[in-house]
Amino acid sequence: MQDLSDLLSETGKLTLDKVGDDGNIGLAPGGHHVPGKTTFCSTCYLLEGYITTLESLMASETELPAQYAQSTTAQLGLRSEFEERANVQKCPGCQSILKALVHYLDHGDDDGSKRSQIPTGMDYEIKLVVKASQRDMAWAKPLSITVLGLSGLNLQPTMRYPPREEIGRVCDPAKIDYSVIEKWLACCEESHDICSAIPLSATLGPMTPVKYIDLERSCLVAFSEGPRYVALSYVWGRVPTLMTMRHNLEELSQPGAFIGTADQIPKTIRDAMSLTLALGIRYLWVDALCIVQDDFEIKHDHLRGMPSIYSLACFTIAVISGDNANSGIPGVGREPKPRSVPLAITLPTKTVGIVSQLHHKRLKFLTRMGFSDRPIWSRRAWTMQEQMFSKRILLIDDLAAWLCPFTQFREEVERAAETHEWARTNSPDQRYDLILPRSINLRRLGKLVVEYNQRDLSFEEDVSDAFMGISSLHTPIFGPLHFGLPEAFFDLAMCWQPSPTLRPRKVTDTSRRVPSWSWMGWHGEVDLSLWDVFQDHILETFGDINRIPFLGFDMHIKPLVTYHKTCLTCSCQFPISNSYHHSRRLVESNTDTDTNPKPPEGWTRLPSPSTWPNTLPKSYYTRGSETEKILYRYPLIHPPPHLHTCQPSLFDTTLSFRAQRLIFTISILKTCKVEKDWTGEHSVVEADIVNEAGVRVGSVKIVDPVLGTVITGCEFVGISRGWCPARKEGGGKWGRTWVGGREHPFGVDVDFDFDGDGDGDGDGEGFGEGRRYEFVNVLWVERREGVAYRRGLGRVRREAWDGGVEAVEEGEREVDVLLG
């Protein structure tokens, strides 16, 4: 270990009398303290000189001395020595270093167990650690001040050097520097072409004029074409707030209206008004004030138009930590809420920021962090669509950050990306987007559903309203979504399954219901793996004809029922299209490329390459509007819409259909397959479905059942049928050797030693010719007051199902089902 002066001398032959304009500021001859003057000690001068010298070498890309191939450590002195200089000499540098170390030892982001073991009052060595060789590593910081072998204080760069070319920015705990935000906005608007482009169709906007807050006139105004405006995304919570209603709309449209009602406007909204105006933008859109809350038709129209409202905004202010509308925006407004910002150390001619891992990782919550670690804004259902649709987001917690399709900025770090030159010469590096839909892929839609359904709602009956904007965004791609399920793939979409944390939603307004048959009727993580497994219309997701396409999961599904939805206005029933079956049949019935009908508008049919195996189609399809090309097995043909003129077009939460029904017993044996959540408190069990003879005929997934129990008299209705190979080539079980090493989704059924041929060898011959597992997808339902409610999804061997149906009197084999 070296002394700091020795290390400095070796680095650049720089001596103390050459540091700064006057190496003796505040010192009398002999280095003694001059009363009344700010005095930095020689250690702080040495430390600054070393930082400056090392960063200058790295910035000039000069080869560093050989000792920097390894981690290098220099002594700065004992804690007691720092306290002496801080308290007696009043050295600002030593004071700031001690303050930062105390904060780190009490509240550090890492080394928690080690920090807690340090005895109170212990005197320890304070060291400078140099890891210049790691400057090319992601997130590495070459310089840090450490104690007792801990990670310590990682110092932000004060000079630009490769590869990240970024420097630390010291933040004011009292207020946000608006000039930084102005710089971000100007850079994005002037240099990021993809951010200025409007990605969403204008047809997704509201049909009625949108209202905005005119911040100069302090009232509501309406425009058919939006002005330059900012949108606000925040958590309402359950606090009183001024809302625009039919009775006060005219009053709030008068100049000065919001001055007279300022005490009724929550602090978050008032702060957003102040920030928007300070940034030179006149108009602000806030849901509580810009949507007439008790005008049902207009509210429905604007909820459907959320993609347009947020995407057309200049940017969206997202207040990510406030748990209600009165929380305010930290660092903004006349009486700004104080902020927790990364600390800094003060040196003679520069201030050096300290890296906060907590702040540094804060953008990960948008897409990558578990829900328990997220701030409240990204755990709320309403804010998900706002995150998706906004082309630019100003995220404000204790620190501000900027997200756009091109890149991201952070208040505590000045990135090279903030310059126009960088934007013109580099590719986008955005990592935190929720992926917008671009192709007809149920897996992509499923990821958004899984994310959304884990988010919270103050009123759980709002689950459909808060998803309405996301639904309208998917309509041009999938066709209409009915309570979150794409109608074109409806029988596949009905095959969602529970995770251990899923539970029924608790509705507070009994006049509003949620459907048990849709994932919307439940809160928590939902298992949509069967959406991906059952879809068979995609050949190749990379659009590369030179690759042999994925041969699929070899699942074949066909519907057994026709679902009908009921209009709440006219009470008429309309069939749900399930149109992918019609599209598939149309192609399958015309295997000759020359005689195939002309593809629908927007689709192109192309001959398959000769390199493809014979098991693949002789032609494939592409969809012209997709930026990421996918090769499709068949095009999706949407049927013409029904002649339905009711506006708004709202449907009941029930489904009507006619289906085959059987009564079985559910046996929850202790040997059943159990999947637990990460806490071990909840589980999903694949229980056995047993017929009257006591024979196992299938399985059903149940959340948190009691092992070792039996449920009798369970009603099951068949909704679709299918088949898949029951055994691998050679007759072996699938186990974990299914597609890509995955476990077969029907493993408990296909790997079950079903011995239908009676020879006792459990070889699976009971599955029939070709060793196919043929099954019926069934819903376990429970009836209350004539309405059936979903309790679970299962499968029954088709032979057992057909046999059970035949044993029932002919007039009772099918029943009318009203599924609520």
Side-chain angles (χ1 to χ4, degrees):
M1 185 182 297
Q2 297 174 284
D3 182 81
L4 181 60
S5 58
D6 294 335
L7 186 62
L8 180 58
S9 177
E10 290 180 7
T11 304
K13 304 302 181 184
L14 187 64
T15 57
L16 177 59
D17 61 349
K18 295 181 182 178
V19 178
D21 296 328
D22 182 355
N24 291 321
I25 292 177
L27 297 178
H32 299 294
H33 173 57
V34 177
K37 296 193 70 174
T38 298
T39 306
F40 286 91
C41 67
S42 60
T43 297
C44 289
Y45 276 106
L46 284 168
L47 178 59
E48 179 180 87
Y50 184 81
I51 292 172
T52 301
T53 303
L54 181 65
E55 291 187 337
S56 296
L57 290 172
M58 291 191 293
S60 63
E61 301 188 59
T62 302
E63 185 174 350
L64 297 176
Q67 73 262 31
Y68 290 102
Q70 305 269 333
S71 177
T72 305
T73 304
Q75 295 176 338
L76 296 177
L78 292 170
R79 171 176 173 162
S80 57
E81 295 171 342
F82 271 79
E83 290 175 339
E84 171 86 10
R85 295 193 295 269
N87 297 328
V88 177
Q89 187 175 327
K90 306 298 182 183
C91 172
C94 291
Q95 291 172 347
S96 63
I97 291 173
L98 285 174
K99 179 180 178 181
L101 282 173
V102 169
H103 182 273
Y104 167 74
L105 293 173
D106 290 342
H107 308 288
D109 302 325
D110 50 15
D111 297 326
S113 59
K114 293 182 181 178
R115 287 186 288 104
S116 63
Q117 296 172 12
I118 299 175
T120 303
M122 178 182 181
D123 198 11
Y124 44 75
E125 187 77 45
I126 300 175
K127 304 172 184 177
L128 174 69
V129 177
V130 186
K131 297 180 180 179
S133 61
Q134 297 184 8
R135 68 182 184 274
D136 294 339
M137 297 173 62
W139 313 124
K141 292 291 183 285
L143 291 164
S144 58
I145 296 175
T146 69
V147 296
L148 301 170
L150 301 173
S151 299
L153 310 175
N154 292 311
L155 305 184
Q156 292 278 19
T158 64
M159 192 177 300
R160 297 191 188 279
Y161 51 81
R164 291 185 298 279
E165 302 283 351
E166 63 187 34
I167 59 177
R169 186 156 40 206
V170 178
C171 304
D172 186 343
K175 62 182 184 304
I176 294 175
D177 184 350
Y178 293 164
S179 67
V180 173
I181 301 173
E182 290 174 334
K183 178 182 176 182
W184 292 345
L185 176 58
C187 178
C188 186
E189 288 191 317
E190 296 170 18
S191 304
H192 301 169
D193 292 340
I194 61 173
C195 303
S196 297
I198 299 173
L200 303 172
S201 171
T203 60
L204 296 178
M207 304 298 291
T208 52
V210 177
K211 296 174 178 61
Y212 307 88
I213 302 171
D214 185 334
L215 297 172
E216 293 185 4
R217 300 174 63 211
S218 195
C219 64
L220 289 177
V221 292
F223 295 104
S224 297
E225 293 188 11
R228 178 175 166 82
Y229 68 96
V230 171
L232 177 63
S233 176
Y234 63 109
V235 176
W236 272 35
R238 300 192 181 193
V239 296
T241 181
L242 177 66
M243 293 185 288
T244 299
M245 312 291 277
R246 283 181 288 192
H247 76 270
N248 66 357
L249 174 58
E250 183 176 351
E251 176 187 348
L252 296 179
S253 301
Q254 301 301 314
F258 293 124
I259 297 175
T261 57
D263 59 338
Q264 301 175 48
I265 300 175
K267 189 175 188 314
T268 298
I269 299 176
R270 295 199 309 271
D271 288 349
M273 292 175 173
S274 175
L275 175 58
T276 302
L277 202 54
L279 295 174
I281 300 175
R282 179 172 177 175
Y283 298 99
L284 175 68
W285 187 92
V286 181
D287 49 9
L289 296 173
C290 298
I291 298 177
V292 183
Q293 298 295 319
D294 60 348
D295 190 321
F296 184 76
E297 292 189 13
I298 288 181
K299 184 175 181 179
H300 182 271
D301 179 42
H302 285 228
L303 290 177
R304 184 193 61 81
M306 286 297 165
S308 175
I309 290 173
Y310 279 96
S311 68
L312 290 175
C314 178
F315 64 90
T316 296
I317 300 170
V319 185
I320 63 177
S321 60
D323 57 5
N324 62 60
N326 268 326
S327 297
I329 303 178
V332 172
R334 293 181 179 178
E335 298 178 356
K337 180 180 178 181
R339 310 190 299 161
S340 171
V341 301
L343 295 176
I345 61 174
T346 305
L347 296 177
T349 64
K350 65 174 68 177
T351 303
V352 184
I354 297 170
V355 177
S356 166
Q357 296 297 330
L358 184 64
H359 288 110
H360 191 77
K361 297 176 181 178
R362 70 186 186 280
L363 297 186
K364 290 188 176 182
F365 72 78
L366 293 168
T367 54
R368 302 180 185 181
M369 287 169 60
F371 276 80
S372 61
D373 297 323
R374 295 185 178 190
I376 188 169
W377 180 82
S378 59
R379 299 198 307 267
R380 303 295 291 179
W382 280 104
T383 60
M384 178 172 164
Q385 59 183 353
E386 296 153 15
Q387 178 185 341
M388 287 181 62
F389 305 150
S390 301
K391 58 187 174 186
R392 304 181 184 97
I393 305 179
L394 175 61
L395 291 155
I396 305 182
D397 190 355
D398 283 318
L399 294 175
W402 180 271
L403 265 73
C404 64
F406 196 86
T407 190
Q408 59 277 323
F409 305 136
R410 300 193 306 276
E411 185 183 357
E412 75 278 20
V413 176
E414 185 176 340
R415 300 185 64 213
E418 295 181 22
T419 65
H420 301 285
E421 293 75 16
W422 189 94
R424 285 193 288 266
T425 57
N426 288 268
S427 300
D429 65 350
Q430 179 56 265
R431 299 184 298 274
Y432 302 106
D433 276 347
L434 282 174
I435 304 297
L436 291 170
R438 300 184 183 94
S439 58
I440 308 174
N441 190 338
L442 288 176
R443 179 194 294 182
R444 180 70 58 81
L445 172 61
K447 286 183 177 180
L448 294 178
V449 167
V450 170
E451 164 75 19
Y452 175 82
N453 212 44
Q454 295 177 80
R455 295 185 174 220
D456 299 326
L457 288 160
S458 297
F459 304 98
E460 295 206 317
E461 54 268 32
D462 287 341
V463 59
S464 180
D465 287 349
F467 196 72
M468 196 174 296
I470 300 174
S471 292
S472 66
L473 190 64
H474 284 77
T475 297
I477 301 170
F478 286 93
L481 273 65
H482 188 52
F483 288 98
L485 305 186
E487 294 192 20
F489 298 89
F490 204 75
D491 67 311
L492 304 190
M494 287 285 285
C495 293
W496 57 269
Q497 300 176 104
S499 73
T501 59
L502 202 68
R503 61 161 181 79
R505 291 193 180 272
K506 298 177 181 179
V507 175
T508 55
D509 182 352
T510 56
S511 67
R512 299 175 63 192
R513 296 168 295 177
V514 293
S516 69
W517 46 266
S518 168
W519 54 263
M520 283 190 174
W522 308 73
H523 180 259
E525 186 175 359
V526 60
D527 177 2
L528 299 181
S529 57
L530 292 182
W531 285 20
D532 186 30
V533 169
F534 284 165
Q535 65 176 353
D536 64 354
H537 62 292
I538 295 177
L539 282 170
E540 173 54 59
T541 57
F542 295 97
D544 184 358
I545 64 171
N546 296 316
R547 292 167 46 111
I548 295 179
F550 173 53
L551 297 180
F553 297 105
D554 211 7
M555 293 279 183
H556 305 263
I557 307 296
K558 293 186 177 180
L560 286 177
V561 302
T562 299
Y563 299 97
H564 292 81
K565 57 185 180 180
T566 304
C567 174
L568 285 172
T569 303
C570 64
S571 300
C572 293
Q573 290 193 339
F574 300 91
I576 291 176
S577 67
N578 239 353
S579 56
Y580 92 96
H581 290 292
H582 306 295
S583 305
R584 182 174 61 186
R585 273 200 302 268
L586 192 62
V587 173
E588 288 176 345
S589 62
N590 293 274
T591 56
D592 189 338
T593 303
D594 295 331
T595 61
N596 251 324
K598 182 181 178 181
E601 184 178 355
W603 292 82
T604 302
R605 183 176 63 246
L606 298 166
S608 299
S610 59
T611 55
W612 285 11
N614 294 331
T615 52
L616 289 172
K618 294 181 180 179
S619 62
Y620 65 91
Y621 295 81
T622 60
R623 187 166 169 263
S625 60
E626 293 180 2
T627 55
E628 52 177 21
K629 291 297 181 183
I630 289 183
L631 309 186
Y632 291 92
R633 189 184 300 269
Y634 52 86
L636 187 64
I637 305 171
H638 296 299
H642 301 290
L643 294 176
H644 185 211
T645 58
C646 294
Q647 291 297 332
S649 183
L650 298 176
F651 292 93
D652 190 28
T653 55
T654 59
L655 289 175
S656 301
F657 58 95
R658 190 164 179 81
Q660 294 178 338
R661 175 186 64 177
L662 289 175
I663 305 299
F664 290 117
T665 294
I666 295 176
S667 176
I668 311 167
L669 301 176
K670 294 183 178 180
T671 56
C672 287
K673 181 180 177 181
V674 178
E675 174 193 352
K676 291 184 176 291
D677 71 344
W678 66 276
T679 66
E681 297 178 0
H682 301 283
S683 64
V684 168
V685 175
E686 291 199 58
D688 294 338
I689 299 177
V690 179
N691 65 12
E692 288 183 345
V695 177
R696 182 187 186 280
V697 296
S699 63
V700 61
K701 286 191 173 184
I702 309 175
V703 177
D704 290 338
V706 179
L707 295 178
T709 60
V710 171
I711 308 174
T712 59
C714 300
E715 180 180 358
F716 288 86
V717 294
I719 58 173
S720 57
R721 60 186 175 88
W723 65 267
C724 64
R727 293 290 185 268
K728 298 187 292 185
E729 290 186 13
K733 295 182 179 181
W734 288 107
R736 294 185 179 273
T737 62
W738 194 50
V739 178
R742 295 165 61 177
E743 185 176 0
H744 198 293
F746 303 159
V748 297
D749 296 313
V750 296
D751 285 348
F752 179 70
D753 290 324
F754 170 55
D755 189 44
D757 56 355
D759 61 6
D761 60 4
D763 59 3
E765 288 293 339
F767 285 116
E769 185 178 352
R771 296 185 178 180
R772 298 200 318 184
Y773 171 56
E774 298 190 35
F775 58 90
V776 175
N777 287 317
V778 296
L779 287 182
W780 172 27
V781 298
E782 180 181 75
R783 292 183 184 265
R784 298 193 298 271
E785 298 180 356
V787 179
Y789 297 91
R790 168 180 164 142
R791 292 200 58 184
L793 175 77
R795 284 168 307 281
V796 173
R797 277 188 296 107
R798 185 178 175 185
E799 179 185 7
W801 182 266
D802 290 346
V805 170
E806 290 178 3
V808 176
E809 292 186 15
E810 187 171 351
E812 299 179 1
R813 292 176 182 176
E814 289 190 349
V815 295
D816 291 321
V817 179
L818 181 63
L819 191 60

